[in-house]
Each structure stands twice: as structure tokens, then as C-alpha cells.
Amino acid sequence: MLKKILPFKIIANINDYLLLLISLTIIFGAIIYYIDAFYYYDLVIAIIIIIGSFMFLGPKIIKSNQGYKGEKINWLIIDKNNYKYFIAYSLVYVFAIASLYFSRSDQPLISPWQVIKPAFFVSYTLASLILILASVSDELKTNAKLFLISLHYFLSLLIAVIIYKIGYGFDPFIHQATMELIDKKGLVTPKTPYYLGQYSLIIIFHKISGLSIYFLNKLLLPCLTAFFLPLATLRYLKSFFINPNDTDNNHNNSSRFLALIFLLILSVSPFIVTTPQNLSYLFLILTILNGLKEKNLSWAILLALATAAIHPLTGIPVLGWVAWLIFQKYQTTLSPIKARIIKITLFSANALILPFSLFVAGGANFKIINLNLFSLLDPFKKIFSGLSMSGNEDWLFNFIYFFNNNYNLFLILLIVTSLIYFYKQKTKPNWSSLFYINISLLFAYIISSQIVFNDLINYEQGNYSDRILVIICFFNLPFIIWLIEKLISKIMDQEQTIKLLWLLLGISMLSTSLYISYPRYDKYYNSRGYSVSANDLKAVSFINQNTKVKYVVLANQQVSVAALKQFGFSNYYKTNKGLLYFYPIPTGSPLYQYYLDMVYVKPSQETAQEAIELTDSDEAYLVINKYWNNSGRIINEAKIEADNWFNINNEVYIFKYNKKNNLINK
């Protein structure tokens, strides 16, 4: 007989205490690094302050968030009545993980689905079905269901971590190199007030545990999301619209667990790779879910401060929202005039501080303000220009891309429907703070969209203002979660045939959402961005080993990231255009424009000599990946112009240009 394991209260406390410890590490680590650095004595001081704060604040803050409303559960995982679900789910889960592991690749991938076998989707779909059956079972208790759901979240977020041997994306390599430099030298200059929360968390954990920064950076966000998000969401659902007669295993409770599962349909893409922006999104959600249900707001304040320490673009709005919650709490103690003044001040601040911060980050030059009201239509263009009934291929891809092509429209309709349905309820909590923050952020978006960042390439210009729209969606998440739970509850009241049809649709949507959450390369869509490959690493090592003079390299982002992974921020040149890395990072670097000229105009000696003169180096190298568009033409032309050339496994071609005088066209 399998015995019951740990008390649930201990597990709930572990979750809360761990979140408290992580938040304090983020906050105080960021403060200490920004004030001084991360030398040995700084880390000692940081650890002492974190532990002291943890011991002092722990009992007080944890008490404010203790357990679920009406919680009667005492045990964690397995007993004789429910082990069958764990065995079934575990077997399918292990098969899915094994399927991913044996599909790992160090080749240049556009999409993980290029190497993942169909068997993975079979196992993922089966795991989803088992999880749904377990969630509606009367045999499983709250904590057992929550444990399985967290495992499912982790599986959904683990694909990129496992498949990409070298690493996934672009930004994680930049942040990893920065953290490794801080770990080695104590600080990076110029010191900026952003990203420090993630940096301090990973570096301190690295120092204490001995785990590599690379490993921690890959797993941090998927682990934290799977561990904290389902529990926070369930607590939120159990805090509102509770029937006094609810018991742990009744109809209403099952609908809440199903809501946790089907919440994955909204996409896991913001949480599959660890970056400060993505990590701040998780803490934003945790702040919102805790802030709505908490009376003393201690968790909301703590999590909001952690969010701001990770990324100010997310932190500023959430701090403004928490300020509104504090105002709401003490509003009755103020005179009507003072309350009105504070309301106007808070609204104006939340509408203006974010654009002002972007203005300052862009150089505080009024020349970067480009009044163009048509830019406000860009999000709507993306929504309606992408509307499609899919194509004429097989039914499966038709279904997938009908959902994908209309995703933004579905999301808007879901938000609007949830707001209308919420408004029509006779009994509802006071969530005016969410309406207030969303309206103020819309004004912030309108103003921010007029700011032009001159150091960014054209197609990245709207990134920062577009993120405000993402943040607005997260502030509407409580309404969406609540609507999903209500919809599921109504479906569960229907006859078996109707429930079965909805079950099939729900499982299909889970797998579909998982597929479109990651980059794709299929009959309908080409994500285009390749991953860093083993050949990229060999190419940058080859260049470095075969030259003894100062050199500059013109290459795409993936090769540049490979150089950053190999050498870190080790080689910069002082130029009349500022300090430049010897590979084209970032894409706003003048070197990247030289690379574009080489591949889209002509791989000429003149362009190479311009790069050499700009950096005052002795050699220039052009790196062409075979997968690049028109690579055959570029390679053949470069062979004629270059002084020498080499190739790595017939996949990466390297062209050498020696320094020549008086060759540059003036």
C-alpha cells in the first residue's frame, strides 16, 4: 500500500517561503549591486541582509497568504485511492520527456518541431487527457491535483530547454554573458538600473549552489512558472465567488482545476525562455493574483518591488497599480477633495511615467519623438491583416492555423466578453483598480508609440510600446481566468455528449496552443530565425585560432551570439561611432549594417575595408551560413573578392579580408 506523504500545510509554506526568499534576493541583490558591485564582501552583505529580512518578515508575510479559503486538505500526494492516476500520468510523462531528450540537436534549427517526433504529441495529448480525468475525480485531493498540473506546466515549458543543446533564442545569451562577466569581475559598466533583479538572483544562487549560470539561466523561468503560477491562480479562484457549501472535491472545485489546465491554451510562449522581460511578466501575474485577494497587501508590495527590480517596463505599471490598491484601502480616511486629487495624480503618473522613462532611456532628446498617429493603428493592422480561414492543406494544419491566425482577435473577444460578464454580475469584488490601470496604460501606449529608438533596427522600433499592450493583457488576466472557470462550470452541467465534445475540443486546443507557442517551420509558416549551432561555435573558434592580429567579423546574429558565448564581452573597439563589439551585436551596431551590405548588395573589399577602418583593425572576416537566403550567390562572389576563404563542414563559410590602404570609396 502506498502511504500518504507530506502534510499539505508544509508544502504550501514551502511555496510561500521560497517565493519570499526569491523576492528578497531579487530586491536586495539588485540594490546592493547598484549601490556598489558584486565583489565577495558585497555578496556576503547581501546574503546576511536577505537572511535577516527573511527571518524577520517571513512569519508576518506568510501568515497573510496562508492556505486556501475554506481549505480542509491535510495530505499531499499518493494514497491507495488515487495512485492509478499518478502511475498512468508518470508513465506518459516519462515517455514525453524521453522523446524530447532523444530529439536534442546542436544543428541550426528554425523550430523545435523539425526534430521532435510525432510520438511526443501523442504522449502530450494523452497526458492532458489523464490530467483532466484526474482533475474531475473525487479520489484526488486538492494538493495532488495541483502537483500534477504543475508537472504539466513544466512539461509544456521544457521543450526549448531540452531540444536546443547550445541554447534557445538570442537575448538569453546576452544576459548570460553579462552575468558571467559580473560573476568574474564583480560588475559591468556602464551600470544600469534594469535587469539587476534577475542577475542578482542567478548569481547569488550560482555562488551558493555551485550550479552554472548557463544551467540556472535556462531553467529558472520554466521552473518558477510551473511551481508558483498554478498555486497562485488556484488561490485566486478560491478567493472569489465562493459558495459557502463548497467542499474540496465537489463540482465547483473540479471546474477550478480544469480552468488551470485550459489556461495553457492562452499560450506558454512568454515563459519558455528566461529573460528579464519574461521573468518580470511572471512576477507581474503573481503580484496581480495576490494583490486582488490580499487584505494587508504585503505580498503585493513585495512582489511589485521584485518585478521592478527585474525589469522597469513591467515594474513601473505594477508599482502604480499597487499604489492605487493602497489608496483604495485608506480612501475612506481621506476627504473627498484629497481623494480626488490623489486619484488624478495616480492616474496621470501611471499614464506618463512609463513614456517618460522610455524617453530618458532613448537619450532624452526631443528628436526621438516622431509624431505619427498612424503608428497607433499597427496593433489593429496586425490583428485584422492576419485574419484567415487558414489554407487548403490537411485538416490538422487548417485547424492549427485557424486558431493561430485569429489568436489576437480571439484574445480581444475573450477580454471583452469577460469584462461584460463580470460587469453584469450582481455580486462581484471591487476590481476598479484593474479598470483604472488598463485605461492609464492605454494612454501610456499612445504616448510611447511616438518615441523612436535610433539605436534599434527598423523592425524592432515598436518593441517597447507593444510590450505595454502585453502588460495590459496581463492586467485583464483575472477576468479571463474567472470567465474560463465559469464557462467550464456551465459545461460540466451539460449532458455527457456535450461534455465529450467540449473535452475533445479542449484537448485539441491544448496541443494546438503548445505547437504555436514555439517557433514553427511548416507548410503555413516559417519563423526564419535559426538557433546557434555547433558549426557556429566552430567558426568563431577557427577565426580566433587562425589570426594573431586585431580583427573584426561581419556575421549574422547567431554567429555573433556564438562569439559572445565563447569569448564573452572580451573584445571591444573604440570608434567614432562609440564602443563596438568585434562581432555585430546588437543589431543596431554599424557592423551589422556592413554585414547586411555584404549579403544584400555585394560582399566587396570596399565594405570590408570600411569595417576595418572603423574599428582600426587589421583583418575583417565575413561569415556566411549555408542556410542564408541566396547563400550560393554570396559565397561565389565572396570567393572572388576575399583574400582567402575557409569552410566549416560545408555549412559555414568564412572569408578573410586583409587591411588595404586607399581602397575605400570616399
Side-chain angles (χ1 to χ4, degrees), residues 526-563:
N526 182 352
S527 295
R528 297 188 182 281
Y530 284 84
S531 62
V532 178
S533 69
N535 288 325
D536 294 331
L537 295 174
K538 291 176 182 178
V540 299
S541 295
F542 176 86
I543 294 172
N544 191 64
Q545 292 169 4
N546 286 274
T547 184
K548 296 183 179 179
V549 298
K550 293 169 60 179
Y551 67 95
V552 63
V553 181
L554 307 179
N556 64 23
Q557 288 188 1
Q558 286 67 38
V559 177
S560 299
V561 162

Coordinates of all heavy atoms in Angstrom, one line a residue, residues 526-563:
N526 N 7.0 30.1 -41.6 CA 8.4 30.0 -41.4 C 8.9 31.0 -40.4 O 8.9 32.2 -40.7 CB 9.1 30.1 -42.7 CG 10.6 30.0 -42.6 OD1 11.2 29.8 -41.6 ND2 11.3 29.9 -43.8
S527 N 9.3 30.6 -39.2 CA 9.7 31.6 -38.2 C 11.1 32.2 -38.5 O 11.4 33.2 -38.0 CB 9.9 30.8 -36.8 OG 8.6 30.4 -36.4
R528 N 11.8 31.6 -39.5 CA 13.0 32.2 -40.1 C 14.2 32.3 -39.2 O 15.3 32.0 -39.6 CB 12.7 33.6 -40.6 CG 11.7 33.6 -41.7 CD 11.6 35.0 -42.4 NE 10.5 35.0 -43.4 CZ 10.7 34.5 -44.7 NH1 11.9 34.0 -45.0 NH2 9.7 34.5 -45.5
G529 N 14.1 32.6 -37.9 CA 15.2 32.7 -37.0 C 15.8 31.4 -36.7 O 15.2 30.5 -36.2
Y530 N 17.1 31.2 -37.0 CA 17.8 29.9 -36.7 C 18.4 30.0 -35.3 O 18.7 31.0 -34.8 CB 18.9 29.7 -37.8 CG 18.4 29.2 -39.1 CD1 18.0 30.1 -40.1 CD2 18.4 27.9 -39.4 CE1 17.5 29.7 -41.3 CE2 17.9 27.4 -40.7 CZ 17.5 28.4 -41.6 OH 17.0 27.9 -42.8
S531 N 18.6 28.8 -34.8 CA 19.3 28.7 -33.5 C 20.8 28.7 -33.7 O 21.3 28.4 -34.8 CB 18.9 27.4 -32.8 OG 19.2 26.3 -33.5
V532 N 21.5 28.9 -32.6 CA 23.0 28.8 -32.6 C 23.4 27.4 -32.8 O 22.8 26.5 -32.0 CB 23.6 29.4 -31.4 CG1 25.1 29.3 -31.4 CG2 23.2 30.9 -31.2
S533 N 24.3 27.1 -33.7 CA 24.7 25.7 -33.9 C 26.1 25.4 -33.5 O 26.9 26.3 -33.3 CB 24.5 25.4 -35.4 OG 25.5 26.0 -36.2
A534 N 26.4 24.1 -33.5 CA 27.8 23.7 -33.2 C 28.8 24.2 -34.2 O 29.9 24.6 -33.9 CB 27.9 22.2 -33.1
N535 N 28.3 24.3 -35.5 CA 29.2 24.9 -36.5 C 29.5 26.3 -36.4 O 30.5 26.8 -36.7 CB 28.6 24.6 -37.9 CG 28.6 23.2 -38.3 OD1 29.6 22.4 -38.0 ND2 27.6 22.7 -39.0
D536 N 28.5 27.1 -35.8 CA 28.7 28.5 -35.5 C 29.8 28.6 -34.4 O 30.7 29.5 -34.5 CB 27.5 29.1 -34.9 CG 26.4 29.2 -36.0 OD1 26.7 29.3 -37.2 OD2 25.2 29.2 -35.6
L537 N 29.8 27.8 -33.4 CA 30.8 27.8 -32.4 C 32.2 27.4 -33.0 O 33.2 28.0 -32.6 CB 30.5 26.8 -31.3 CG 29.2 27.2 -30.4 CD1 28.9 26.0 -29.5 CD2 29.4 28.5 -29.7
K538 N 32.2 26.4 -33.9 CA 33.5 26.1 -34.5 C 34.0 27.2 -35.4 O 35.2 27.4 -35.4 CB 33.3 24.8 -35.4 CG 33.0 23.5 -34.6 CD 32.7 22.4 -35.5 CE 32.4 21.1 -34.7 NZ 32.0 19.9 -35.5
A539 N 33.1 27.9 -36.0 CA 33.6 29.0 -36.9 C 34.2 30.1 -36.1 O 35.3 30.6 -36.5 CB 32.4 29.5 -37.7
V540 N 33.6 30.5 -35.0 CA 34.2 31.6 -34.2 C 35.5 31.2 -33.6 O 36.5 32.0 -33.5 CB 33.2 32.2 -33.2 CG1 32.0 32.7 -33.9 CG2 32.8 31.1 -32.2
S541 N 35.6 29.9 -33.2 CA 36.9 29.4 -32.6 C 37.9 29.3 -33.7 O 39.1 29.7 -33.5 CB 36.6 28.0 -32.0 OG 35.8 28.1 -30.9
F542 N 37.6 28.9 -34.9 CA 38.5 28.8 -36.0 C 39.1 30.2 -36.3 O 40.3 30.3 -36.5 CB 37.8 28.2 -37.3 CG 38.7 28.2 -38.5 CD1 39.5 27.1 -38.7 CD2 38.7 29.2 -39.4 CE1 40.3 27.1 -39.9 CE2 39.5 29.2 -40.5 CZ 40.3 28.1 -40.8
I543 N 38.3 31.2 -36.4 CA 38.8 32.5 -36.7 C 39.7 33.0 -35.7 O 40.8 33.5 -35.9 CB 37.6 33.5 -36.9 CG1 36.7 33.2 -38.1 CG2 38.1 35.0 -37.0 CD1 35.4 34.0 -38.2
N544 N 39.4 32.8 -34.4 CA 40.2 33.3 -33.3 C 41.5 32.5 -33.2 O 42.6 33.2 -32.9 CB 39.4 33.1 -32.0 CG 40.1 33.8 -30.8 OD1 40.2 35.0 -30.8 ND2 40.6 33.0 -29.8
Q545 N 41.5 31.3 -33.6 CA 42.8 30.5 -33.5 C 43.7 30.7 -34.7 O 44.9 30.4 -34.6 CB 42.4 29.0 -33.4 CG 41.8 28.6 -32.1 CD 41.2 27.2 -32.2 OE1 41.3 26.5 -33.2 NE2 40.5 26.8 -31.1
N546 N 43.2 31.3 -35.8 CA 44.0 31.4 -37.0 C 44.3 32.8 -37.3 O 44.6 33.2 -38.5 CB 43.2 30.8 -38.2 CG 43.2 29.3 -38.2 OD1 44.2 28.6 -38.6 ND2 42.2 28.7 -37.6
T547 N 44.3 33.7 -36.4 CA 44.7 35.1 -36.5 C 45.4 35.5 -35.3 O 45.1 35.1 -34.2 CB 43.5 36.0 -36.9 OG1 44.0 37.3 -37.1 CG2 42.5 36.1 -35.7
K548 N 46.4 36.4 -35.5 CA 47.2 36.9 -34.4 C 47.2 38.4 -34.3 O 48.0 39.0 -33.6 CB 48.7 36.4 -34.4 CG 48.8 34.9 -34.3 CD 50.2 34.4 -34.3 CE 50.3 32.9 -34.1 NZ 51.7 32.4 -34.2
V549 N 46.3 39.0 -35.1 CA 46.2 40.4 -35.2 C 44.8 40.9 -34.8 O 43.9 40.0 -34.7 CB 46.6 41.0 -36.6 CG1 48.0 40.6 -37.0 CG2 45.6 40.4 -37.7
K550 N 44.6 42.2 -34.7 CA 43.2 42.7 -34.4 C 42.3 42.4 -35.6 O 42.7 42.7 -36.7 CB 43.3 44.2 -34.1 CG 44.1 44.6 -32.9 CD 44.3 46.1 -32.8 CE 43.0 46.8 -32.8 NZ 43.3 48.3 -32.7
Y551 N 41.1 41.9 -35.3 CA 40.2 41.6 -36.4 C 38.8 41.9 -36.0 O 38.4 42.1 -34.9 CB 40.3 40.1 -36.8 CG 39.8 39.1 -35.7 CD1 38.5 38.6 -35.8 CD2 40.7 38.7 -34.7 CE1 38.1 37.7 -34.8 CE2 40.2 37.8 -33.7 CZ 38.9 37.3 -33.8 OH 38.5 36.4 -32.8
V552 N 38.0 42.1 -37.1 CA 36.6 42.3 -36.9 C 35.8 41.4 -37.8 O 36.3 41.0 -38.8 CB 36.2 43.8 -37.3 CG1 36.5 44.1 -38.8 CG2 34.8 44.1 -37.0
V553 N 34.6 40.9 -37.3 CA 33.8 39.9 -38.0 C 32.5 40.5 -38.4 O 31.8 41.1 -37.6 CB 33.7 38.7 -37.2 CG1 32.9 37.6 -37.9 CG2 35.0 38.1 -36.7
L554 N 32.1 40.2 -39.6 CA 30.7 40.6 -40.1 C 30.0 39.3 -40.2 O 30.3 38.4 -41.0 CB 30.8 41.3 -41.4 CG 31.7 42.5 -41.5 CD1 31.7 43.1 -42.9 CD2 31.3 43.5 -40.4
A555 N 28.9 39.1 -39.4 CA 28.2 37.8 -39.4 C 26.8 38.1 -38.9 O 26.4 39.2 -38.5 CB 28.9 36.9 -38.4
N556 N 25.9 37.1 -39.0 CA 24.5 37.2 -38.6 C 24.4 37.1 -37.1 O 25.4 36.9 -36.4 CB 23.6 36.2 -39.3 CG 24.0 34.7 -39.0 OD1 24.6 34.5 -37.9 ND2 23.6 33.8 -39.8
Q557 N 23.2 37.2 -36.6 CA 23.0 37.2 -35.1 C 23.5 35.9 -34.4 O 24.1 35.9 -33.4 CB 21.6 37.5 -34.8 CG 21.1 38.9 -35.0 CD 19.7 39.2 -34.5 OE1 19.1 38.3 -33.9 NE2 19.3 40.4 -34.7
Q558 N 23.2 34.8 -35.1 CA 23.5 33.5 -34.5 C 25.0 33.3 -34.3 O 25.5 32.9 -33.3 CB 22.9 32.4 -35.3 CG 21.4 32.2 -35.2 CD 20.7 33.4 -35.8 OE1 21.1 33.9 -36.9 NE2 19.6 33.8 -35.2
V559 N 25.8 33.7 -35.3 CA 27.3 33.6 -35.2 C 27.8 34.6 -34.2 O 28.7 34.3 -33.4 CB 27.9 33.8 -36.6 CG1 29.4 33.8 -36.5 CG2 27.4 32.8 -37.6
S560 N 27.2 35.8 -34.2 CA 27.6 36.8 -33.2 C 27.4 36.3 -31.8 O 28.2 36.5 -30.9 CB 26.9 38.1 -33.5 OG 27.2 38.6 -34.8
V561 N 26.2 35.6 -31.6 CA 25.9 35.1 -30.3 C 26.9 34.0 -29.9 O 27.3 33.8 -28.7 CB 24.4 34.6 -30.2 CG1 24.2 33.7 -29.1 CG2 23.5 35.8 -30.1
A562 N 27.3 33.2 -30.9 CA 28.2 32.1 -30.7 C 29.5 32.7 -30.2 O 30.2 32.2 -29.3 CB 28.5 31.3 -31.9
A563 N 29.9 33.8 -30.7 CA 31.2 34.5 -30.3 C 31.0 35.0 -28.9 O 31.9 34.9 -28.0 CB 31.5 35.7 -31.2

